[in-house]
Amino acid sequence: METQHRVTERKQHNSMFIAVGTSRRRSILTTLRDEATPMSERELAHRVARSDRKNSKANVSPEKVEATRIDLRHIQLPLLEDSGLIEWDRERETTTTTNHRAFEDPQFQRLLETKHDGIDEALAGLAHKRRRILLAILRAEGDRASISKTALAQKIYQRENDETGLSQAAIDSILVSLSHNHLPWLHDTDIIKYNAETGHVAYTKHQGLEELISLLQRPTNWFAEKLDTFIGGLLTTYTQTSKHTRDPFGWPVSWGDPYYG
């Protein structure tokens, strides 16, 4: 049962949120995006290490470059390769961006280039589908309104199953995941306010999440209902290429599938 739960949790994670979920990985993508030919790992490490510093023109020590290169090889590049955003030649130690459709979208470009401090937390919070659903629900309630954990679990069940009826066993399972995983994590990152004693939850109007939404869409009046396939809603260019889904914060189809279209 525990193994099955871990597999289900992994399926709930969106690899694209994870791929662009740190400033370092976004820096890697913006660096590679502007190059016409594959870049060596060492040159990429040097540029990324330099971008990590407040003064990007300052010299970077060889030790810092080597530490960055190790991080690239063991963590960042494998993850970006799995997402379909880069091609990595391990033998030649070079890497380049793919022709993934996401790179053609100006919204994706704005996301890669943002420097807002809270974006990493927002993307990490949205990486899990259940968190995306609960945040859409809480944001629709308003940043000053609170909702009980039980009522939240019921709304999540209805969203996840597209049903008006309720299954108490399923809701109890959702309550466990909320209590032991999602609500404490989102509370610790200041995306929500969660009182474990009273069981009440409220959205905090998190600056990183609000900035992310403003990057990717024009404001809408009814957030929860309009976010069918795109965080913050779809612009006109994605009206035809996006598909309906119960995930209110999902990427456009062409962001998740490099061969779409």
Side-chain angles (χ1 to χ4, degrees):
M1 180 64 71
E2 181 65 23
T3 300
Q4 182 179 2
H5 174 73
R6 288 198 297 267
V7 171
T8 301
E9 284 291 300
R10 285 198 296 270
K11 289 182 178 179
Q12 291 283 329
H13 281 82
N14 185 307
S15 62
M16 286 295 287
F17 281 104
I18 297 172
V20 299
T22 69
S23 58
R24 170 161 286 190
R25 286 196 286 275
R26 294 194 298 275
S27 175
I28 293 168
L29 292 173
T30 54
T31 300
L32 295 175
R33 175 197 62 188
D34 298 330
E35 295 296 317
T37 58
M39 180 179 294
S40 71
E41 290 178 11
R42 185 159 294 280
E43 175 62 20
L44 177 60
H46 185 271
R47 295 198 192 184
V48 170
R50 191 171 59 187
S51 71
D52 286 345
R53 301 171 65 93
K54 292 183 179 180
N55 182 2
S56 61
K57 295 182 179 181
N59 292 328
V60 180
S61 69
E63 294 78 14
K64 176 64 175 177
V65 173
E66 181 60 20
T68 302
R69 191 183 73 84
I70 292 172
D71 177 63
L72 294 182
R73 285 192 64 87
H74 292 281
I75 299 176
Q76 315 303 342
L77 296 184
L79 192 152
L80 290 171
E81 183 182 43
D82 288 345
S83 72
L85 291 169
I86 68 166
E87 291 180 357
W88 179 26
D89 190 325
R90 289 166 174 78
E91 292 185 1
R92 297 182 179 179
E93 297 185 348
T94 61
T95 186
T96 185
T97 54
T98 65
N99 59 353
H100 197 294
R101 291 287 301 275
F103 288 111
E104 301 175 10
D105 190 279
Q107 294 171 295
F108 189 73
Q109 305 293 347
R110 289 199 296 270
L111 174 59
L112 293 183
E113 294 166 3
T114 181
K115 302 296 183 183
H116 194 284
D117 290 339
I119 292 292
D120 287 9
E121 287 180 348
L123 287 167
L126 294 174
H128 194 284
K129 182 177 180 180
R130 181 162 287 172
R131 289 179 190 165
R132 298 196 292 275
I133 292 174
L134 78 85
L135 285 171
I137 292 170
L138 292 177
R139 197 169 183 275
E141 294 287 327
D143 57 297
R144 295 184 179 179
S146 65
I147 184 174
S148 73
K149 183 170 58 178
T150 300
L152 178 61
Q154 292 171 346
K155 288 177 180 287
I156 290 173
Y157 172 82
Q158 291 171 336
R159 280 291 189 91
E160 290 182 342
N161 297 278
D162 203 19
E163 297 177 4
T164 56
L166 299 175
S167 165
Q168 191 57 49
I171 291 172
D172 289 343
S173 177
I174 293 172
L175 279 168
V176 170
S177 74
L178 293 181
S179 300
H180 296 284
N181 182 0
H182 304 304
L183 296 183
W185 191 95
L186 291 168
H187 175 80
D188 289 344
T189 53
D190 295 323
I191 295 177
I192 67 168
K193 291 181 180 178
Y194 169 50
N195 188 321
E197 294 184 0
T198 65
H200 278 76
V201 191
Y203 178 58
T204 62
K205 202 169 184 177
H206 184 265
Q207 291 186 357
L209 183 55
E210 294 301 316
E211 174 69 13
L212 188 56
I213 292 167
S214 70
L215 282 171
L216 300 178
Q217 76 128 120
R218 302 295 182 216
T220 57
N221 294 326
W222 186 238
F223 181 83
E225 295 302 320
K226 293 181 184 287
L227 303 189
D228 286 332
T229 54
F230 192 179
I231 175 176
L234 296 172
L235 293 185
T236 304
T237 55
Y238 274 98
T239 300
Q240 299 300 323
T241 60
S242 300
K243 298 179 181 178
H244 180 75
T245 173
R246 289 189 296 271
D247 185 350
F249 282 99
W251 299 110
V253 172
S254 58
W255 284 25
D257 180 2
Y259 306 108
Y260 185 85

